[in-house]
Amino acid sequence: MADYAIFELGDVVLQSRQTIRGAQLAYKTYGTLNAAKDNVIVYPTWYSGQHYENEWLIGPGKALDPEQYFIIVPNMFGNGLSSSPSNTPAPFNGPRFPKVTAYDNVMQQHRLVTEKFGIERIKLVTGWSMGALQTFHWGALFPDMVERILPFQGSAKCSRHNFVFLEGVKAALQADAAFADGFYTAPPQRGLRAAARVYAGWGLSQTFYRSEGDLRRLGYASLEDFLVGFWEGWLLAKDANNLLAMLWTWQNGDISNNPLYGGDYAKALGAIKAKAIVMPASTDLYFPPEDSAIEVSHMPNAELRIVETDWGHFAGGPGTSPDDIAVLDAALKELLAA
Amino acid sequence: MADYAIFELGDVVLQSRQTIRGAQLAYKTYGTLNAAKDNVIVYPTWYSGQHYENEWLIGPGKALDPEQYFIIVPNMFGNGLSSSPSNTPAPFNGPRFPKVTAYDNVMQQHRLVTEKFGIERIKLVTGWSMGALQTFHWGALFPDMVERILPFQGSAKCSRHNFVFLEGVKAALQADAAFADGFYTAPPQRGLRAAARVYAGWGLSQTFYRSEGDLRRLGYASLEDFLVGFWEGWLLAKDANNLLAMLWTWQNGDISNNPLYGGDYAKALGAIKAKAIVMPASTDLYFPPEDSAIEVSHMPNAELRIVETDWGHFAGGPGTSPDDIAVLDAALKELLAA
């Protein structure tokens, strides 16, 4: 039995002028919406992640405490639970699934929050990686609704270097003839495994790999054990077209590419009224702190807080680095109390 | 007509206990060996590079001045000119070409220097990237022969992170069914192009990609123009098995994995008597300055000198960043005068 709910969106016309017909937004909530409807946290998902893969930050005693807050985790389009290449009926399935932007995602999440729950104020939006991309969008698209944001290890716009890194992942996956331009009948294993090996160098830092201790703690006896068990295992469990759909969303992420801001990046960031803590990781190879500093320089109410860590992009990530998550959790508590 | 010479090595038994039969070392010299034979510079090649792709540092008025020095550029095994998968007769051609280490390369280069030219002292060994790997080896394997070394943007041993980055390149290339385990009859274009896109994110820094000015100066109108023209163009011109042979050499590079040092990394570095300047680039993503600092800490006569640059691995690289090359050239002059 599914542990999540579906919000029926009807036919959704996207920025790409394509349509998701009978679009579905899968979500899960944690805790109870209070009578004043003022205890709401929105916590979007990351690249490839589904709602249950966001749960490492949620729990009693943590900042995202379901005994205190009503936490909504909306699944990103393309992640296999909300409308995706893998679950959409023909002819819009597989490689013909429409192109979806972060703007599209957040506009539909806003409908869930307002139409389904009647919520008018959000105490906090937070998210990791592509979840941070959506977090920035929430702040800029609904500045009078969102009180606080804490995007961690992510950006408001896909940088050119980040775009290039993703080109490598995409090209490795698509180099497999079994991918068949997306019309595969069985998973393109070789391509998925190649994409995972490309990703492996980016996901964690040089320093992380230099020391062998953390690999052992994670339960891997060697580098090869880690590359197969952790990285290839991650992407083999995913649908290739879903991964490419979300990759497109990532590469085309841009807080200002929408009717409100017309491509004016500084204006979009400047419009965020929420009190913000922007938390890059010191060793993140695709969201380097320099990019976050540029973002914060345009935001009227934001603090740049760099997490000093060897864990690269996985600092606040999905439960692997407890020390960094403690730092993140403390920042979330501080921001929620402000 | 070839602009290089061949030194016939005979049958060479490698560390891998494989044999290159009728092995050939292709090399080019610049300038004239003086009567005292004390004006010698050895300048090995980099990953995929051939001797003419080392020439950006050589010329009148430069540190590597052929009017003053006798400069020997030995081509690395696997690079298509020295014995390689692409030029070795069956049955040891293509994917059956023997595995060659940096140690093997330098031991045979030493034969060229001594047997062919009767040289007993080397004023300087220098090299970029995998050329730096060979430079470190020269220092450790022939400490009484090599007076100075200047390895730039490279390491004495392949780091674990660097190994992982190369796994991504390799997996992308091999994901192409046309690669056919190395038994291709035409270049595996899709795989070569994918490997090039993977490489693109690593070769230059986040900061390089953030600014668009340098791309324009290099003659590329957009990121995609650069990815195809510069990166795909680079690997399409190379043989896939050659690339994988050199990649193996790189991944297995280890200054201490030889009879002299028996895997004792600190001992191997400590044995280098040459006066050394080790020059990493501040933004190099696969040879970060931290690795160079560890190396220098074990070397008795070495200085760590970090090049502050946005050009990442391409700081001292093949002629693309004139400002950084000026810094490198000055350091070479300083070291040669010492």
Side-chain angles (χ1 to χ4, degrees):
Chain A
M1 198 173 141
D3 74 335
Y4 59 92
I6 296 286
F7 182 63
E8 298 287 351
L9 297 163
D11 294 351
V12 173
V13 177
L14 305 162
Q15 285 195 292
S16 59
R17 304 307 300 165
Q18 296 176 291
T19 306
I20 308 179
R21 288 168 173 81
Q24 297 193 316
L25 178 50
Y27 66 96
K28 183 169 178 177
T29 63
Y30 305 78
T32 307
L33 184 60
N34 65 12
K37 298 190 177 183
D38 65 357
N39 68 334
V40 177
I41 294 174
V42 176
Y43 176 25
T45 58
W46 44 281
Y47 181 68
S48 91
Q50 300 182 340
H51 59 272
Y52 65 89
E53 293 167 301
N54 263 20
E55 290 178 355
W56 84 92
L57 272 185
I58 302 172
K62 296 179 180 175
L64 273 53
D65 188 340
E67 293 174 4
Q68 189 173 0
Y69 297 108
F70 182 61
I71 304 155
I72 305 172
V73 177
N75 285 275
M76 189 162 51
F77 289 118
N79 85 340
L81 296 180
S82 289
S83 291
S84 300
S86 65
N87 65 14
T88 296
F92 291 103
N93 59 325
R96 293 294 185 267
F97 185 73
K99 300 283 184 271
V100 187
T101 62
Y103 171 86
D104 293 324
N105 271 286
V106 170
M107 293 306 284
Q108 300 308 313
Q109 292 169 14
H110 179 259
R111 287 183 54 200
L112 169 70
V113 168
T114 53
E115 296 174 19
K116 171 74 183 176
F117 295 109
I119 292 164
E120 293 176 359
R121 300 282 293 173
I122 298 175
K123 212 164 189 73
L124 169 74
V125 184
T126 189
W128 179 51
S129 198
M130 281 188 80
L133 174 69
Q134 296 166 74
T135 298
F136 277 111
H137 276 71
W138 265 103
L141 297 176
F142 303 102
D144 294 318
M145 182 178 191
V146 177
E147 297 173 357
R148 298 167 187 80
I149 61 171
L150 197 155
F152 53 102
Q153 290 107 63
S155 69
K157 178 177 177 174
C158 185
S159 78
R160 290 158 56 88
H161 177 266
N162 191 335
F163 187 97
V164 172
F165 141 52
L166 293 171
E167 280 298 296
V169 173
K170 185 171 73 176
L173 174 50
Q174 294 181 335
D176 183 356
F179 174 68
D181 295 329
F183 295 105
Y184 47 84
T185 49
Q189 278 219 27
R190 188 178 279 268
L192 288 166
R193 290 176 188 267
R197 284 198 180 234
V198 174
Y199 221 113
W202 293 111
L204 296 149
S205 77
Q206 298 98 339
T207 310
F208 174 89
Y209 281 108
R210 191 177 300 120
S211 74
E212 302 180 33
D214 283 319
L215 281 198
R216 297 226 181 85
R217 186 175 64 67
L218 291 171
Y220 299 98
S222 68
L223 206 50
E224 181 64 17
D225 200 28
F226 183 60
L227 290 174
V228 177
F230 186 91
W231 288 103
E232 295 190 8
W234 168 52
L235 286 194
L236 278 179
K238 310 291 180 184
D239 176 77
N241 284 320
N242 285 357
L243 289 171
L244 292 175
M246 288 180 281
L247 193 146
W248 191 95
T249 302
W250 187 349
Q251 285 190 313
N252 290 276
D254 180 352
I255 193 171
S256 67
N257 184 22
N258 54 61
L260 269 76
Y261 302 111
D264 189 334
Y265 176 70
K267 185 178 173 191
L269 286 166
I272 298 175
K273 293 182 181 173
K275 183 172 175 62
I277 300 177
V278 177
M279 287 191 94
S282 58
T283 52
D284 194 325
L285 289 172
Y286 43 101
F287 296 112
E290 290 79 3
D291 286 329
S292 303
I294 293 168
E295 289 164 347
V296 166
S297 75
H298 295 295
M299 297 166 70
N301 203 12
E303 175 195 339
L304 176 69
R305 197 179 294 185
I306 300 169
V307 183
E308 293 297 330
T309 177
D310 293 343
W311 277 79
H313 186 61
F314 275 58
T320 39
S321 175
D323 291 349
D324 295 324
I325 291 168
V327 170
L328 172 62
D329 193 63
L332 284 164
K333 282 178 177 156
E334 176 189 331
L335 186 62
L336 280 165
Chain B
M1 198 171 141
D3 74 334
Y4 59 93
I6 296 287
F7 182 62
E8 298 288 349
L9 297 163
D11 295 351
V12 172
V13 177
L14 305 162
Q15 284 196 293
S16 60
R17 305 307 300 166
Q18 296 175 291
T19 306
I20 308 179
R21 288 168 174 81
Q24 297 193 315
L25 178 50
Y27 67 95
K28 183 169 179 178
T29 63
Y30 305 79
T32 307
L33 183 60
N34 65 13
K37 298 190 176 184
D38 65 358
N39 67 334
V40 177
I41 294 175
V42 176
Y43 176 25
T45 57
W46 43 280
Y47 183 67
S48 91
Q50 301 182 339
H51 59 272
Y52 64 90
E53 293 166 302
N54 263 20
E55 290 178 355
W56 84 93
L57 272 185
I58 301 172
K62 296 180 180 175
L64 273 54
D65 188 340
E67 294 174 4
Q68 189 172 359
Y69 297 109
F70 182 59
I71 303 155
I72 306 171
V73 177
N75 285 275
M76 189 161 52
F77 289 118
N79 86 338
L81 295 181
S82 290
S83 291
S84 298
S86 64
N87 64 13
T88 296
F92 290 103
N93 60 323
R96 293 292 186 270
F97 185 74
K99 300 283 183 269
V100 186
T101 62
Y103 172 85
D104 293 324
N105 271 287
V106 171
M107 293 306 283
Q108 299 308 314
Q109 290 168 16
H110 179 259
R111 287 183 55 201
L112 169 69
V113 168
T114 55
E115 297 175 18
K116 171 75 182 174
F117 295 110
I119 292 164
E120 293 177 0
R121 300 282 294 173
I122 298 175
K123 210 164 191 74
L124 169 74
V125 184
T126 189
W128 178 51
S129 199
M130 280 187 81
L133 174 68
Q134 296 166 75
T135 298
F136 278 111
H137 276 71
W138 266 103
L141 297 175
F142 303 103
D144 294 320
M145 182 177 189
V146 178
E147 297 172 358
R148 298 166 187 80
I149 61 172
L150 197 153
F152 52 102
Q153 291 107 61
S155 68
K157 177 178 178 174
C158 184
S159 78
R160 290 157 56 87
H161 178 266
N162 191 335
F163 187 97
V164 172
F165 141 53
L166 293 170
E167 280 299 296
V169 173
K170 184 172 73 178
L173 173 50
Q174 295 182 334
D176 183 355
F179 174 67
D181 294 330
F183 296 105
Y184 47 84
T185 49
Q189 278 219 28
R190 187 178 280 267
L192 288 166
R193 290 176 189 267
R197 286 199 179 233
V198 173
Y199 221 112
W202 292 110
L204 297 150
S205 77
Q206 298 98 341
T207 310
F208 174 89
Y209 280 108
R210 192 177 298 119
S211 75
E212 302 180 33
D214 283 318
L215 281 199
R216 297 227 181 85
R217 187 176 63 68
L218 291 172
Y220 300 97
S222 68
L223 206 49
E224 181 64 15
D225 201 28
F226 183 60
L227 290 174
V228 176
F230 186 91
W231 288 104
E232 295 190 7
W234 169 52
L235 286 194
L236 277 179
K238 310 290 180 183
D239 175 77
N241 284 321
N242 285 358
L243 289 170
L244 292 175
M246 288 180 281
L247 192 146
W248 191 95
T249 302
W250 186 349
Q251 285 190 313
N252 290 274
D254 179 355
I255 193 173
S256 66
N257 183 22
N258 54 61
L260 270 75
Y261 302 112
D264 189 334
Y265 175 71
K267 186 178 171 191
L269 286 165
I272 299 174
K273 293 182 182 173
K275 183 171 176 62
I277 300 177
V278 177
M279 286 191 94
S282 58
T283 51
D284 193 324
L285 289 172
Y286 43 101
F287 296 112
E290 291 79 4
D291 286 329
S292 304
I294 293 168
E295 289 164 344
V296 167
S297 75
H298 295 296
M299 296 166 71
N301 203 11
E303 175 196 338
L304 176 69
R305 197 178 295 183
I306 300 169
V307 183
E308 294 297 330
T309 177
D310 294 342
W311 276 79
H313 186 60
F314 275 58
T320 38
S321 175
D323 291 348
D324 295 324
I325 291 168
V327 170
L328 170 62
D329 193 62
L332 285 164
K333 281 178 178 155
E334 175 189 333
L335 186 62
L336 280 165

